[in-house]
Amino acid sequence: MKNFFYILLLSFFAVLFSCSQSPSNKDDGQVNGQADSLSDDSLLTLVQQQTFQYFWEGAEETSGLARERIHLDGVYPENDQDVVTIGGGGFGVMNILVGIERGFISRQEGVQRLEQIVNYLEKADRFHGAWPHWLHGPTGKVKPFGQKDNGGDLVETAFMAQSLLCVRQYLANGNEQEQAVAAKADQLWKEIDWNWYRKGNQNVLYWHWSPEYEWEMNFPVTGYNECLIMYVLAAASPTHGVPAAVYHEGWAKSGKIKTDAEQYGHKIILGFNGHEGTVGPMFWAHYSYLGLDPRGLKDEYADYWELNKNQTLIQRQYCIENPKDFKGYGPNAWGLTASYSVNGYAGHSPKEDLGVISPTAALSSYPYTPEYSMQVIRYLYDQLGSKVWGKYGFYDAYSETDNWFPQRYLAIDQGPIPVMIENERSGLLWNLFMSASEVKEGLKKLGFSSSQHSL
């Protein structure tokens, strides 16, 4: 009996000591010591919920939109903590729909925030219906992205329009308040003058226009990058639409967009701008496809599911082969995209590999490679833990080579994570966007077909 009580006492202290050693933080989720208690499904939900908070708790107060960046260290060299981003703000709008569906917030809370956002967007600076890249959050006035980039940004506007159509579809049959928000989202979408951005009816779309500098930015958008959604929406617009020739002659360069290049046994399919013979940063497989469903989506130039999956597999294999021998690369840590870097900001890709892993690259590719992306999530959460995981999910980027783990976030990188994970889990945003009648008509106009959605 004496031995029994002695063993019982030792067991009690062993449990007490074990509990004291397990890290736990109510704000940041649980990492390392508690990680193996989470199933993959629970971990996916945690990643979505924690990242969603960037766009909910972290939103700029006046607009309700996403801040361009959040630095937990409080250091903002450009004094831009109140700048909101239209593209990242659009991703944030989609995150609100994910938040409602996953129960992170109530439907009423989400609708109130969406109402705040559409009312703000209506009053904010616009240029022929297009918003600028950045707005000063408290005033809604343009914040120049560069000296001559102080007007409309059609690409960022397209990312927002993609989200507004999802909001309209989500709330169209709701209560009176919801229908009013849906109507305002519809109005904002229809006021975008895509045709103006042809710069005098050319068969190509231009990225920028400024009332001060007009077309001096001189950036016709051609070839493959993140901008496919802009051409789809421009063709789909019922008010300021563009002819199909703008897509075929401008974006597709009269067919020259195609390539026969392969890498690691995977066809590259389309020529990635500036990345001849290889693929570009991973966000090119994300931004246009937050709403535009690539599953079974084809036109005369590409099978878009194959295009995006192959880009993901090529990037993963590149990081496994790791030709520059960076520390930490491998099957559990891959993915190069535009993000913070050790020395500023960089468009990481196999062509510009600086030893920096950006979690959004693999995480937002979850629909294309769920098992491989889950390996990265597990490695980041279980092994690197609090080095890369914080208040708003995984930090923007890190480098094991340089022992560089900044506690900083960017909206455009956080935004796709919950949305693309949700698209794989439920198809939420894909189904909403593809249900819009204008989207169906626009895709048909450009010669697309879809095995997942009736066009």
Side-chain angles (χ1 to χ4, degrees):
M1 182 66 71
K2 187 174 181 180
N3 286 338
F4 170 78
F5 283 108
Y6 179 71
I7 293 170
L8 187 66
L9 188 62
L10 284 178
S11 299
F12 169 77
F13 281 109
V15 170
L16 187 65
F17 178 79
S18 174
C19 290
S20 71
Q21 297 303 302
S22 298
S24 175
N25 187 306
K26 293 180 181 179
D27 292 327
D28 294 349
Q30 295 178 329
V31 296
N32 296 335
Q34 299 291 329
D36 58 2
S37 67
L38 286 176
S39 67
D40 284 356
D41 192 66
S42 296
L43 182 52
L44 282 173
T45 301
L46 177 62
V47 169
Q48 285 184 290
Q49 185 169 15
Q50 201 86 356
T51 311
F52 158 80
Q53 289 299 332
Y54 181 100
F55 303 95
W56 187 254
E57 176 192 313
E60 193 276 324
E61 293 84 354
T62 304
S63 63
L65 288 169
R67 299 178 189 275
E68 164 70 8
R69 65 192 84 242
I70 295 178
H71 296 172
L72 297 188
D73 58 17
V75 178
Y76 292 88
E78 303 298 324
N79 193 30
D80 54 1
Q81 57 267 45
D82 291 328
V83 171
V84 298
T85 171
I86 288 299
F91 303 162
V93 166
M94 289 179 157
N95 269 266
I96 292 171
L97 301 182
V98 173
I100 294 171
E101 285 296 295
R102 284 281 157 191
F104 304 155
I105 53 174
S106 71
R107 186 178 179 96
Q108 179 61 25
E109 287 175 318
V111 171
Q112 287 176 346
R113 177 65 64 84
L114 292 170
E115 182 178 53
Q116 177 187 1
I117 288 171
V118 295
N119 287 339
Y120 178 89
L121 288 172
E122 182 182 32
K123 298 173 183 176
D125 279 351
R126 282 185 285 173
F127 306 88
H128 295 276
W131 292 279
H133 189 119
W134 282 339
L135 290 167
H136 180 240
T139 64
K141 299 299 181 184
V142 60
K143 161 79 173 176
F145 191 65
Q147 180 186 348
K148 295 181 179 180
D149 191 356
N150 63 349
D153 183 314
L154 200 63
V155 175
E156 298 288 306
T157 294
F159 299 147
M160 179 59 75
Q162 182 177 216
S163 75
L164 292 174
L165 280 169
C166 290
V167 168
R168 187 193 71 185
Q169 297 302 101
Y170 189 75
L171 299 179
N173 297 318
N175 60 33
E176 184 177 349
Q177 182 188 21
E178 292 172 0
Q179 290 185 32
V181 173
K184 184 64 66 68
D186 183 58
Q187 171 195 327
L188 292 169
W189 138 249
K190 289 177 177 174
E191 289 174 350
I192 301 166
D193 190 349
W194 308 90
N195 198 58
W196 169 263
Y197 284 82
R198 292 171 64 192
K199 188 184 174 184
N201 291 328
Q202 297 179 43
N203 282 338
V204 68
L205 292 173
Y206 281 74
W207 197 309
H208 314 92
W209 179 81
S210 159
E212 184 177 358
Y213 297 101
E214 297 187 335
W215 303 104
E216 287 187 37
M217 289 290 290
N218 195 32
F219 198 151
V221 183
T222 66
Y224 192 70
N225 51 29
E226 74 272 31
C227 304
L228 174 62
I229 190 66
M230 178 180 68
Y231 276 90
V232 170
L233 290 171
S237 172
T239 49
H240 303 285
V242 305
V246 175
Y247 174 73
H248 295 293
E249 296 178 24
W251 172 253
K253 299 188 289 189
S254 298
K256 294 179 182 177
I257 194 172
K258 295 191 290 185
T259 180
D260 294 326
E262 293 188 12
Q263 197 173 14
Y264 305 119
H266 304 292
K267 295 180 179 178
I268 293 175
I269 302 173
L270 298 182
F272 287 67
N273 280 348
H275 294 77
E276 290 72 19
T278 185
V279 295
M282 270 317 309
F283 75 90
W284 290 5
H286 305 150
Y287 290 3
S288 280
Y289 306 98
L290 298 179
L292 182 65
D293 188 351
R295 298 174 300 174
L297 186 70
K298 300 178 182 180
D299 69 358
E300 62 185 279
Y301 310 111
D303 174 326
Y304 290 87
W305 181 260
E306 183 185 12
L307 173 76
N308 293 338
K309 184 171 183 178
N310 285 2
Q311 182 186 354
T312 311
L313 292 171
I314 288 168
Q315 275 230 12
R316 178 178 182 268
Q317 191 60 40
Y318 170 85
C319 288
I320 290 173
E321 295 207 357
N322 191 14
K324 295 187 177 181
D325 198 28
F326 289 121
K327 182 179 178 181
Y329 278 30
N332 296 325
W334 52 269
L336 312 175
T337 196
S339 71
Y340 279 133
S341 196
V342 179
N343 296 307
Y345 184 85
H348 307 108
S349 70
K351 183 180 178 181
E352 186 178 1
D353 180 12
L354 304 176
V356 172
I357 295 291
S358 312
T360 186
L363 272 61
S364 298
S365 296
Y366 185 74
Y368 310 128
T369 54
E371 292 183 7
Y372 295 153
S373 294
M374 197 70 218
Q375 289 175 354
V376 176
I377 294 173
R378 279 288 176 198
Y379 175 72
L380 295 175
Y381 189 78
D382 295 356
Q383 302 302 317
L384 294 184
S386 58
K387 283 186 174 182
V388 297
W389 174 265
K391 187 174 184 179
Y392 301 125
F394 294 114
Y395 297 122
D396 186 61
Y398 71 91
S399 172
E400 291 193 58
T401 298
D402 290 294
N403 194 30
W404 177 76
F405 298 93
Q407 296 184 353
R408 295 183 172 187
Y409 297 99
L410 288 172
I412 54 171
D413 288 340
Q414 297 308 103
I417 295 172
V419 174
M420 290 300 271
I421 290 175
E422 190 60 38
N423 276 333
E424 169 61 18
R425 298 179 91 181
S426 72
L428 176 66
L429 284 310
W430 283 342
N431 291 334
L432 287 171
F433 183 77
M434 298 296 286
S435 70
S437 59
E438 306 98 309
V439 171
K440 295 175 184 289
E441 290 301 314
L443 288 170
K444 283 195 296 183
K445 178 178 175 180
L446 298 182
F448 281 85
S449 63
S450 171
S451 63
Q452 294 288 320
H453 306 273
S454 60
L455 299 181

